[in-house]
Amino acid sequence: MSIGSVLDLLRPDFPDITISKIRFLESEGLIRPERTPSGYRRFSVADYERLRFVLTAQRDQYLPLKVIKEQLEAIDSGAATLGVREARARAHSHHSAAEAGQSLSGAARADTDDASPAPPRRLGVVPGEITPDELRVEGGVRLTRADLLDKAGIDDKFLDDLLRAGLIVPGAGGFFESDAVTLAHAAKSMAEFGLEARHLRAFKLAADREAALVAQIAAPIAKSRDADARARAEETVRELAALSLNLHAALVKAAVRAALGN
């Protein structure tokens, strides 16, 4: 891809990106596109994914270039792998095709006669802002306990822990909503850092308080006599919920930076 093509793919998610910014990141050693015999830059899918990682880390995690470069060096050495999030719906049609390509991984396998080395930790790219459309409820999906265990990749004991902590609550007939899969999978990932289900109760309590505040604002709208009152109330709930999630993420980032002394 040419630098202009890469620019077109990035602009839907990074409207401030410029050719000068891409050239600057190259001069800092964060990306290394090949050069044609005539001197033009040619970007591979891996170069594109690497560039998205840098830009997302800057925008969403406020990481300095020095830290991002250290993460990329870890990727290049095989100490970590690069996870690239799916393209948003508004992205260019070629965007998804690019992300379906090769992942950026310079892992070198060690030749040992003992057990295989543990898989590297995955560096996931944190998504950008949550939008109201992403919180639209899709009904009609009901999962059995067995379905939930299979889709979330957890065992019975772990699910029981989540149920006891109130993190997952079955609906009528003992069925689960599809969101339970996302919740269980996230809890499982956090358990790898030593966080048990009981530790996650703080997240549940905070979510309940935020939901109650949103519902308090939307309730009067739903009770109005307008024909579209319910639809307007649901739209208000989605918008406020999205804003609260973005606010929560920003507050957590600020608190973590303060805790680390940054």
Side-chain angles (χ1 to χ4, degrees):
M1 293 182 285
S2 67
I3 192 170
S5 298
V6 171
L7 197 66
D8 291 337
L9 293 176
L10 292 171
R11 270 186 173 148
D13 284 341
F14 306 94
D16 296 330
I17 188 66
T18 62
I19 289 179
S20 297
K21 175 67 177 288
I22 296 176
R23 288 173 176 166
F24 169 73
L25 294 176
E26 180 186 1
S27 69
E28 293 294 311
L30 294 162
I31 54 174
R32 297 182 294 272
E34 294 183 357
R35 295 278 185 149
T36 65
S38 55
Y40 292 103
R41 296 172 178 83
R42 302 301 299 179
F43 292 80
S44 65
V45 173
D47 293 326
Y48 166 75
E49 292 178 349
R50 190 181 182 95
L51 185 54
R52 282 190 63 85
F53 178 84
V54 173
L55 295 174
T56 305
Q58 279 189 306
R59 182 193 64 189
D60 295 348
Q61 298 175 291
Y62 307 101
L63 295 180
L65 290 181
K66 178 181 178 181
V67 175
I68 298 174
K69 189 172 184 179
E70 290 173 353
Q71 292 186 352
L72 290 173
E73 288 172 353
I75 293 168
D76 293 338
S77 68
T81 58
L82 175 61
V84 180
R85 64 186 174 89
E86 295 179 354
R88 295 183 182 178
R90 68 177 184 274
H92 190 278
S93 59
H94 295 301
H95 186 164
S96 58
E99 289 198 343
Q102 64 204 48
S103 66
L104 186 74
S105 159
R109 297 189 177 180
D111 293 325
T112 62
D113 297 328
D114 301 319
S116 300
R121 175 161 291 173
R122 187 176 180 81
L123 287 177
V125 178
V126 178
E129 291 189 350
I130 300 294
T131 65
D133 284 341
E134 294 178 71
L135 297 176
R136 193 175 298 275
V137 177
E138 302 292 342
V141 178
R142 297 198 308 171
L143 303 173
T144 64
R145 182 185 178 97
D147 291 334
L148 178 55
L149 293 174
D150 179 62
K151 292 181 179 295
I154 60 176
D155 57 28
D156 280 295
K157 182 182 181 304
F158 191 76
L159 178 55
D160 287 338
D161 290 341
L162 296 177
L163 292 170
R164 278 193 295 269
L167 297 172
I168 292 180
V169 179
F175 290 98
F176 298 91
E177 300 293 334
S178 57
D179 285 343
V181 176
T182 302
L183 197 157
H185 191 271
K188 178 186 176 184
S189 297
M190 296 181 79
E192 296 176 0
F193 291 86
L195 292 173
E196 300 176 7
R198 59 189 175 88
H199 297 138
L200 304 183
R201 280 285 299 163
F203 293 90
K204 178 67 166 63
L205 294 174
D208 288 344
R209 288 194 295 268
E210 292 173 12
L213 182 60
V214 170
Q216 181 180 349
I217 296 173
I221 301 175
K223 292 178 180 178
S224 66
R225 298 180 181 275
D226 296 355
D228 61 345
R230 182 175 179 82
R232 288 192 296 111
E234 291 177 351
E235 183 63 30
T236 299
V237 167
R238 286 195 298 272
E239 185 169 356
L240 285 173
L243 290 171
S244 69
L245 287 173
N246 292 326
L247 175 61
H248 181 83
L251 290 172
V252 170
K253 290 175 185 176
V256 169
R257 285 201 304 271
L260 295 178
N262 294 336

